[in-house]
Amino acid sequence: MSKTKWKKYALGFVSASAVVLSACGGGEDPATDTGGQTGGAAENDGNTLEVGVESDYVAYVEAIAPAFEEEHGVTIEVTERDMFEILEALPLDGPSGLAPDVMLAPYDRIGGLGQQGHLAPVTLPDDGRYDEVDQQQVTIDGTQYGSPFVIEALVMYWNQDLLDSAPQTFEDLEALTEDERFAFESESGKSTAFLTNWVDFYNSYGLLSGYGGYVFGQDGTDPSDVGLNTPGAIEGIEYATQWFQEVWPQGMLDVTSAGDFIDEQFISGKAAAIINGPWGAANYNTNEVNYSVAPVPTLPNGNEYEPFGGGKGWIINNYSENLEIAEEWLNFVTNEENMMLLHEEYTNEVPANQHARTAIQETGEDELAVAVIEQYNNAVPMPNIPEMAEVWTGAETMMFDAGSGNKTPEQAANDAVQIISDNIEQKY
């Protein structure tokens, strides 16, 4: 199994997005080919292009920069800074000339920043490196404001010392709860055979979506249509409620500690299968868990689990004086060779580049990456409009309210949608 260096961004950008947005209202050539639309190097007159990235990406950028510098006659200056700090400061730092020319952003932040005028529009290369879903991640109101860089999605980890093969359906997971090996000693009749943090909306969305729920209508672009209380979504919440009330220990309803509890049970061999993001692998590697990875099993209704499809894209500071060369950088850093270099030598993240993804699947050497790619094919791009910030707040207690019995699944869903809709109406 490939040892991974994933860093957890998904849940981090959820909270950061909520704070900032509510406040604001096979065919590519080697690394020297940018794949751009301009037909050659942009005129730069020896200017410096500032690339702002977190520490995890500094060595990667420094490794590929010389080829770009030689091709375009520009000096790459790498600035190390927290991604969210850069994004939160952009509205002020951009006009002041203090922001980097190019930087990274979670997909759910790109649309809002683009709408607010802080990002330069881009034209993505027409060379097959991106499909429609990839493009949707960086598009709002028909305009593209970034280049897809890496992708992530929740997957299933299963313990090879406890199971002979990966569970294929949720019925398989239900059957595991009858195995006395996974009985929870502190609570009679409860099982830790299969665990997932459904009290957290980011994690439970794949269940609701698989049952027919959705965040916003029109592929996440219509905030007047909140679909978390559709009959399908309510059916999904009802199914989760059965796990909370009949199978799982009470601690699974604690949103602040459920994630740690799940990891503890999996690492100690008391949970046979769990759902988590690719960032969880580092912890399991450190603790020498003999795990394997697979897409999340098929739901009881026969549909696939449909989690949020997340990741990060490269964006351009709209106040930059180097817009042309900045777009060349976006095309260059996301070409197949550079994407494979990132995956194999640096962060192990899964490239958004379709040609690189195909190469990873064909070799099959990185089981985690293959599982992420397969799951991402059933994932739903997270809405990247500013109103998404209100969803996290509105849905924060939805699953707890239903799972604890404080409300019926229908009441919990209706109340969450009401909060979301009211906040959107008041703020936007």
Side-chain angles (χ1 to χ4, degrees):
M1 173 174 297
S2 172
K3 299 304 180 184
T4 61
K5 310 171 194 172
W6 287 82
K7 185 174 182 180
K8 184 173 181 179
Y9 284 110
L11 298 184
F13 73 66
V14 164
S15 58
S17 296
V19 172
V20 175
L21 290 179
S22 62
C24 295
E28 295 151 16
D29 291 333
T32 54
D33 173 25
T34 65
Q37 305 298 301
T38 61
E43 292 294 326
N44 192 266
D45 298 327
N47 286 337
T48 296
L49 185 75
E50 184 179 355
V51 179
V53 291
E54 294 193 310
S55 59
D56 288 1
Y57 299 102
V58 170
Y60 167 68
V61 171
E62 290 177 342
I64 66 175
F68 186 83
E69 292 173 328
E70 181 178 355
E71 177 78 6
H72 296 282
V74 62
T75 299
I76 297 296
E77 177 181 301
V78 183
T79 299
E80 180 183 329
R81 189 177 175 188
D82 178 79
M83 176 173 63
F84 294 109
E85 288 182 3
I86 294 177
L87 298 178
E88 289 161 12
L90 182 59
L92 294 178
D93 285 357
S96 302
L98 301 176
D101 296 299
V102 296
M103 63 212 79
L104 289 167
Y107 292 136
D108 74 324
R109 294 289 296 276
I110 292 176
L113 289 169
Q115 276 188 332
Q116 294 155 17
H118 304 307
L119 305 184
V122 303
T123 300
L124 296 178
D126 186 19
D127 58 6
R129 73 176 71 180
Y130 300 128
D131 64 12
E132 291 184 3
V133 174
D134 301 324
Q135 295 177 40
Q136 183 180 338
Q137 295 278 28
V138 296
T139 301
I140 190 167
D141 298 333
T143 301
Q144 296 162 345
Y145 287 103
S147 295
F149 185 50
V150 295
I151 62 170
E152 19 177 83
L154 295 172
V155 292
M156 183 183 67
Y157 294 85
W158 57 280
N159 190 318
Q160 296 186 85
D161 293 333
L162 301 174
L163 302 177
D164 294 329
S165 60
Q168 299 297 307
T169 67
F170 266 77
E171 285 82 357
D172 294 339
L173 296 174
E174 292 170 16
L176 284 176
T177 65
E178 303 298 323
D179 191 325
E180 288 300 319
R181 292 180 298 168
F182 310 115
F184 189 63
E185 296 180 359
S186 302
E187 296 178 36
S188 176
K190 296 304 178 73
S191 172
T192 57
F194 161 68
L195 301 173
T196 182
N197 192 10
W198 276 341
V199 74
D200 185 294
F201 178 68
Y202 178 84
N203 291 279
S204 61
Y205 179 73
L207 171 69
L208 274 58
S209 180
Y211 269 93
Y214 54 92
V215 177
F216 298 135
Q218 297 184 25
D219 294 325
T221 64
D222 182 5
S224 68
D225 178 13
V226 181
L228 298 180
N229 62 344
T230 65
I234 293 171
E235 186 179 356
I237 297 173
E238 290 172 344
Y239 180 68
T241 298
Q242 296 174 23
W243 283 91
F244 282 119
Q245 296 182 353
E246 300 173 14
V247 180
W248 287 334
Q250 293 182 0
M252 290 294 289
L253 277 168
D254 188 338
V255 69
T256 62
S257 62
D260 290 338
F261 175 78
I262 292 169
D263 276 355
E264 290 168 3
Q265 298 300 304
F266 188 62
I267 290 169
S268 64
K270 297 176 182 177
I274 65 171
I275 296 175
N276 199 359
W279 48 83
N283 189 20
Y284 310 145
N285 291 335
T286 298
N287 287 278
E288 299 182 346
V289 180
N290 184 24
Y291 68 87
S292 187
V293 194
V296 178
T298 304
L299 292 167
N301 64 356
N303 292 340
E304 297 300 326
Y305 200 78
E306 298 179 351
F308 284 123
K312 298 184 287 292
W314 284 94
I315 55 176
I316 301 174
N317 167 11
N318 198 31
Y319 309 96
S320 168
E321 296 180 356
N322 301 312
L323 295 181
E324 279 191 83
I325 201 68
E327 185 162 349
E328 294 288 353
W329 170 262
L330 265 59
N331 295 332
F332 168 80
V333 74
T334 60
N335 71 30
E336 182 178 356
E337 182 170 335
N338 286 328
M339 287 276 72
M340 289 301 295
L341 183 69
L342 177 82
H343 172 72
E344 295 176 341
E345 301 295 335
Y346 291 93
T347 68
N348 201 233
E349 291 169 289
V350 177
N353 185 299
Q354 291 284 337
H355 304 305
R357 277 193 246 177
T358 298
I360 292 169
Q361 287 182 293
E362 287 177 347
T363 63
E365 295 176 357
D366 190 328
E367 184 181 45
L368 174 57
V370 170
V372 170
I373 293 170
E374 292 178 358
Q375 189 69 65
Y376 190 84
N377 290 335
N378 291 317
V380 178
M382 189 181 297
N384 62 9
I385 58 177
E387 290 86 350
M388 185 64 192
E390 308 312 321
V391 176
W392 304 115
T393 301
E396 186 175 25
T397 64
M398 180 172 64
M399 199 63 83
F400 172 83
D401 290 338
S404 64
N406 290 343
K407 300 177 182 179
T408 67
E410 183 174 6
Q411 288 173 327
N414 287 338
D415 288 350
V417 169
Q418 189 65 54
I419 293 172
I420 294 167
S421 299
D422 287 348
N423 287 343
I424 288 175
E425 183 177 355
Q426 291 171 10
K427 296 180 181 181
Y428 301 90

